[in-house]
Amino acid sequence: MPQKVILDVDTGRDDAVALLMAGHHPALELVAVLPAHGNAPLETTLDNTLRTMEAGGLGHIPVYAGAETPLLGQFAPTLDIQRVKLPLPPASKQAEKKHAVQFLIDYYMGADGPQTIYMPVGSQTNLALALRIEPRIAERIPHIVTMSGAYQEGNTTPSAEFNILADPEAAHIVFTAGIPVTMVGLEVTARALVMPQDVERIRSIGTPWAVIAADLMDADVKWFQEHLGSEGGQIFDPCAVAAVIEPKVLITKSMWVGIELQGNLTRGRTVADVSGQRGWKPNVDVGVDMDRERFVELMYDGLR
Ligand code: RIB
Ligand code: CA
């Protein structure tokens, strides 16, 4: 039986690749998609999500529009590369009438909830709101696999990874809810670099979704090469999808992780007790490495 997943996104390029990979990989059943604010305002992330689902042969999967602002209303600074309308045809597909937060509560209080992995790969505002409105879902969500966080250096500030900084209070609520969390952070995405030759191999698959994914990854790989001089690109969100398809592709270490909410320089940091010497009770399985070749294979299988 394929593993049921719900993707909570802020569709930008890498979210779109994650959607196509999760939607088409035989090991997964993408139940629903929940866009929120993050890479861009909700209006853009929602439109990008609808365009991706329709152009990517996933128009049958419901999309529920979510939170427009973080809990405390300060937007994280975004880069030009993030604030993009994806180069895809306008969608005729519409979002469902129900709000993402209400869908989350109804779904996880229902029969399929305990079989469905929740995957936040953008801000965590939707899940935080659902947990505040209906705390009982914390006992029914079996596992959160999130692309977020960093136990070494951030990417938006030296302290903070973007998805956490997009709504630190929401991340605090999620990371302290008692739900098993696997954090696929920047240390993982920096090891699972996608190289230009990987992009071309995926493009050669020839399916509409493989071509779309290749075009999106090509832009990101070029950005990393030009701006950071790296050999390949960090294609963040698909790393979380790979970790659900085949957990052993991700190397993790259980750590205590807390979200910094106050610091002028450190707000949005996932503060991790890496050594474990303090004896603080671990609450997160933190990704520390990923098998790059296997990751690319899993992406290839998903886009075939
Ligand atoms: O820091 C990387 C994360 O921020 C990715 O999820 C990317 O899509 C942006 O949301
Ligand atoms: Ca994202």
Side-chain angles (χ1 to χ4, degrees), residues 8-12 14-15 39 120-123 147 162-163 236-237:
D8 189 324
V9 295
D10 59 339
T11 308
D14 62 312
D15 302 70
N39 271 318
V121 296
S123 62
M147 190 282 129
F162 180 81
N163 288 339
F236 305 99
D237 298 342

Side-chain angles (χ1 to χ4, degrees), residues 242-277:
V244 174
I245 294 169
E246 189 173 286
K248 67 178 187 324
V249 75
L250 178 72
I251 312 300
T252 62
K253 180 178 181 189
S254 286
M255 300 182 195
W256 177 93
V257 176
I259 311 296
E260 176 55 61
L261 304 177
Q262 305 302 325
N264 292 334
L265 297 174
T266 55
R267 175 169 163 81
R269 180 169 187 72
T270 41
V271 178
D273 181 19
V274 182
S275 68
Q277 285 170 4

Side-chain angles (χ1 to χ4, degrees), residues 97 211 214 263 294 300:
K97 293 276 171 289
V211 173
R294 186 63 191 141
Y300 185 90

Side-chain angles (χ1 to χ4, degrees), residues 5 7 10 27 88 125 161 186 193 232 245 294 298:
V5 296
L7 264 169
D10 59 339
L88 296 169
T125 314
E161 178 279 325
L186 297 179
L193 289 183
I245 294 169
R294 186 63 191 141
L298 292 170

